[in-house]
Amino acid sequence: MNDMPAGTRSVVVEREIPYPPEKIWRALTQPHLIEEWLMKNNFKPVVDHRFNLSADWGGVECQVQTVEPNKTLSYTWDTKDLESIVTWTLTPTGMGTHLRMEQVGFRTDQEPYYRGATVGWKRYFAALEQVLLRID
C-alpha cells in the first residue's frame, strides 16, 4: 500500500476520541459530514473510487486505496506538486477510539507542503471533533 519513495516524510496526528469507531467512521466516509470538517467532495468508501476535495484555495485529486469499515481508510492525496497517501486508523480503546491519521510522501524539497499539512491536519482534526459532538 505504501509505495512512497525512500526519504519522504510523514505528518501524523493522533487523538483519543471518546466515541466508538462506528461514529468516527461515519464522519470520515459520509460526504456531507466530510464537507463539514474537511472540504467539499464526491467521496465514496469504495476501493479505486476517484474523488475530489475542493476548497477556495484549490483542490485535491484522490483515489481510495483501502476500506476496512470502522478500522482503516486510505486514499491518495494529489495536488499539482504533491503526491501522497492519507491513512486513517481507528483502534477501539476503553475510553472510545484512538484515531490516527498519517499523510506520507513529503519529499525533502517540499517543506512548505509539509509545514502546511502539519498545521492543516490539526485544524481538520479540531473541526472533525466538533462534527462528532453534533452527530448521533
Side-chain angles (χ1 to χ4, degrees):
M1 176 176 74
N2 184 347
D3 295 329
M4 291 292 123
T8 59
R9 294 192 293 172
S10 299
V11 171
V12 176
V13 181
E14 298 181 85
R15 297 273 193 288
E16 181 78 24
I17 299 181
Y19 300 111
E22 296 79 12
K23 181 173 183 170
I24 298 167
W25 183 258
R26 287 199 326 270
L28 294 176
T29 59
Q30 293 182 0
H32 70 285
L33 296 176
I34 297 168
E35 183 173 349
E36 290 185 41
W37 66 268
L38 185 60
M39 289 180 245
K40 293 179 184 174
N41 66 92
N42 58 335
F43 179 83
K44 291 180 187 171
V46 175
V47 172
D48 292 329
H49 172 68
R50 293 183 183 276
F51 65 100
N52 296 303
L53 297 169
S54 61
D56 55 2
W57 53 264
V60 182
E61 293 181 15
C62 305
Q63 184 174 7
V64 178
Q65 303 291 298
T66 306
V67 177
E68 293 180 63
N70 306 314
K71 293 180 183 179
T72 307
L73 174 67
S74 71
Y75 41 84
T76 59
W77 179 282
D78 298 341
T79 64
K80 186 179 96 173
D81 300 316
L82 173 67
E83 293 183 3
S84 61
I85 297 175
V86 172
T87 301
W88 297 90
T89 307
L90 295 79
T91 306
T93 67
M95 301 296 290
T97 303
H98 179 87
L99 181 62
R100 181 180 196 273
M101 185 288 311
E102 179 177 19
Q103 184 176 11
V104 62
F106 297 93
R107 296 187 321 259
T108 55
D109 64 338
Q110 294 180 310
E111 186 64 26
Y113 289 102
Y114 179 78
R115 284 195 316 266
T118 300
V119 171
W121 281 114
K122 290 176 184 169
R123 288 187 191 140
Y124 291 141
F125 255 73
L128 172 61
E129 290 179 280
Q130 290 302 306
V131 168
L132 291 168
L133 285 171
R134 291 186 304 90
I135 65 173
D136 292 328

